Amino acid sequence: MSPPPVRRAGPRDAERVTRLWLALGEHQAPFDPAFAQRRDEAAWDAARGVIDRLLADPDAALFLAEREGAPVALCIVRAARAPAVAVERERAEISDLFVEASARRQGLGRVLVDHAMGWVRERDIPRVTVRVANANPEGQAFWRALGFGELVDVLSRRV
Ligand SMILES: CC(C)(COP(=O)(O)OP(=O)(O)OC[C@H]1O[C@@H](n2cnc3c(N)ncnc32)[C@H](O)[C@@H]1OP(=O)(O)O)[C@@H](O)C(=O)NCCC(=O)NCCS
């Protein structure tokens, strides 16, 4: 099956984007307590707040794919200034990427990342970073298949 079309999300998509964003959180929760998320109503409001802010942020872009009106995939990319001393003055991060289980391995993740990379290229940003949990084998395989390589190890310890 060919992947559904991808478009830039806008304010009217806030609810469906929030749903996908929370689904990504659910997916990551079993990896480590560091990724655990609340499930109460306040959690929904907090998530919705995050998405509303991102949708209004000129330094962020959200890409959405829908199949028969139902949201199936989301990619969020953000740009940030580097410290003035850095040669690479701006940085971009793909902070969130999620494809519904039923839509995986059809090229949709790749298409979403292509859109995000296009947005980054338009801004002349020379580098895109992603953070992927060590315990996420499909995410690890996906990013490496797209040419992403290791840069830093993020170490973590419970206090
Ligand atoms: C990771 C994820 C976004 C990949 O999306 P996708 O639409 O299935 O990926 P694509 O079909 O575009 O795959 C592109 C390539 O990545 C690699 N890849 C993707 N999923 C893989 C898997 N489960 N195992 C091994 N390689 C994989 C393959 O090389 C694939 O090319 P191929 O299908 O021609 O072999 C999707 O599995 C997902 O949403 N997972 C849950 C959320 C998540 O982990 N997000 C990433 C957080 S950093």
Side-chain angles (χ1 to χ4, degrees), residues 72-90:
V72 290
L74 170 71
C75 180
I76 303 178
V77 58
R78 310 183 207 199
R81 297 229 178 297
V85 39
V87 171
E88 294 182 0
R89 301 297 300 274
E90 267 199 289

Side-chain angles (χ1 to χ4, degrees), residues 58-113:
D59 290 327
L62 293 81
F63 296 96
L64 185 64
E66 287 161 305
R67 182 167 274 150
E68 287 154 18
V72 290
L74 170 71
C75 180
I76 303 178
V77 58
R78 310 183 207 199
R81 297 229 178 297
V85 39
V87 171
E88 294 182 0
R89 301 297 300 274
E90 267 199 289
R91 293 170 179 173
E93 181 182 13
I94 296 178
S95 56
D96 304 274
L97 176 68
F98 180 73
V99 177
E100 284 279 2
S102 63
R104 288 183 195 153
R105 294 310 287 269
Q106 296 164 30
L108 189 45
R110 196 186 284 275
V111 171
L112 280 160
V113 171

Side-chain angles (χ1 to χ4, degrees), residues 24 27-28 31 97-100 103-111 131-133 136-139 141-143 145-146:
L24 170 61
H27 179 84
Q28 300 192 117
F31 296 155
L97 176 68
F98 180 73
V99 177
E100 284 279 2
R104 288 183 195 153
R105 294 310 287 269
Q106 296 164 30
L108 189 45
R110 196 186 284 275
V111 171
R131 284 161 183 263
V132 50
N136 180 357
E138 59 195 351
F142 172 79
W143 289 113
L146 269 68

